[in-house]
Amino acid sequence: MLSEEVREAVGTRRPVVALESTIIAHGLPRPGNARVALELEEAVRREGAVPATIAVLDGRPRVGLDVDQLERIANEDGIRKLGHRDLPLAVAAGASGATTVSATAQLAALAGVRVFATGGLGGVHREWTVTQDESADLSLLARTRITVVCAGVKSILDVPATLERLETLGVAVAGYGTDRFPGFYLSDSGHPVDWTLSTPEQVADVMRAQDALGTPESALVVAHPVAEAEQLDPELHARVLADALTTCAARGITGQAVTPFLLDYLVRHTSGASLRANLAAVRGNVRLAARIATAWTRE
């Protein structure tokens, strides 16, 4: 179900930016999460685009939420975390859930929304050779024509393995204003990218070229680093992440429990600095995504 505003914008080819809801329900503490959700939507509007926050409410996938629906996602107990594999189950069960990157990208593409802003992508997890743990984000992006503006992948993951996997899957990756792949909390993950784009118009040109070439329906990842002044201190990040990984192993935490544990550990042991860097990255990505969507909708 598209909100009236989003439906009209898509129908008249006005710029629209998809926003995930997992950061609202599961990534930020209450009560500030609802305020951030409204702030991100307002940032899209200030750039002249229409925000389309995506979630499933009472079994209905919704592209574009009103204020009451955003409040539900932010404050209602029992809101599930939905990847794209969960969507049919949630719809059939009449469940409510916040959408991850993969579910948001899929629903946005189905609704005709081409540009999506998020914080960091999922990717290949550390110790992949043992756990075979890889985010569903990657395979979904390999078969979904959408442009994702992100701050790279979460730095708790195996970044070089994730870049290799994206290459294997045929997902285009370009740094925005940089030849380095960002590391979510960090401006530079320590790894290069092969392509650099410098303006929203250049990104839009790549999107048009994707369509003109008739290439497989894969995504374009625009890796937009958080500003150096707003990143998490790299030395603090390295030290706390090493401690977090050691603690995680000592407690026998495995599988899906690893990522939330590591992210929470970083927040608590950096006195909230990692959360502030996360929000700075998301805000910057949202603004850039709105500018890209505007350039994309220009003839």
Side-chain angles (χ1 to χ4, degrees):
M1 298 184 66
L2 278 65
S3 70
E4 183 177 345
E5 183 183 26
V6 171
R7 182 182 296 107
E8 180 181 347
V10 171
T12 57
R13 198 167 165 75
R14 290 176 53 210
V16 181
V17 176
L19 302 171
E20 66 163 289
S21 50
T22 293
I23 187 174
I24 303 168
H26 304 289
L28 299 172
R30 298 175 183 174
N33 56 341
R35 177 183 54 78
V36 171
L38 294 170
E39 175 193 336
L40 295 178
E41 290 210 339
E42 180 57 30
V44 173
R45 296 186 193 282
R46 282 198 301 269
E47 297 293 338
V50 172
T53 302
I54 296 177
V56 177
L57 292 173
D58 304 316
R60 296 188 175 190
R62 293 185 177 271
V63 179
L65 304 181
D66 62 28
V67 173
D68 289 341
Q69 291 164 341
L70 281 172
E71 289 284 352
R72 279 191 65 186
I73 287 294
N75 297 314
E76 189 174 293
D77 293 331
I79 293 291
R80 299 181 69 113
K81 184 176 181 180
L82 305 176
H84 71 279
R85 69 167 189 170
D86 303 307
L87 292 175
L89 296 161
V91 168
S96 296
T99 52
T100 64
V101 166
S102 68
T104 303
Q106 184 174 72
L107 292 173
L110 288 171
V113 178
R114 185 68 178 266
V115 181
F116 167 33
T118 187
L121 297 181
V124 177
H125 287 242
R126 295 168 187 258
E127 304 295 331
W128 182 88
T129 54
V130 176
T131 64
Q132 301 287 290
D133 193 355
E134 175 185 310
S135 171
D137 294 355
L138 304 186
S139 61
L140 190 283
L141 293 178
R143 59 180 186 272
T144 305
R145 182 55 54 82
I146 196 161
T147 296
V148 184
V149 182
C150 64
V153 299
K154 297 177 177 66
S155 54
I156 61 174
L157 303 174
D158 188 329
V159 176
T162 300
L163 286 170
E164 288 287 349
R165 187 71 177 130
L166 286 168
E167 180 181 355
T168 299
L169 291 169
V171 177
V173 177
Y176 189 85
T178 181
D179 61 359
R180 310 294 296 175
F181 191 69
F184 191 44
Y185 301 123
L186 307 175
S187 300
D188 183 353
S189 69
H191 301 278
V193 290
D194 294 329
W195 297 93
T196 300
L197 300 170
S198 301
T199 66
E201 290 73 22
Q202 288 181 349
V203 178
D205 285 343
V206 175
M207 295 163 65
R208 294 186 186 100
Q210 284 181 310
D211 294 344
L213 287 167
T215 53
E217 294 287 306
S218 58
L220 168 62
V221 173
V222 178
H224 180 225
V226 63
E228 287 190 17
E230 296 179 302
Q231 71 174 341
L232 181 60
D233 177 77
E235 292 185 3
L236 176 63
H237 173 271
R239 183 174 69 254
V240 174
L241 179 56
D243 290 344
L245 291 168
T246 299
T247 304
C248 189
R251 295 184 183 179
I253 298 170
T254 59
Q256 291 185 334
V258 172
T259 294
F261 172 82
L262 294 178
L263 293 176
D264 179 67
Y265 192 99
L266 281 166
V267 171
R268 289 186 291 107
H269 290 81
T270 62
S271 301
S274 66
L275 181 59
R276 291 190 291 274
N278 181 0
L279 287 173
V282 173
R283 291 183 182 110
N285 293 343
V286 164
R287 292 192 295 269
L288 176 58
R291 294 166 191 161
I292 291 170
T294 299
W296 163 247
T297 54
R298 291 195 194 109
E299 294 296 338

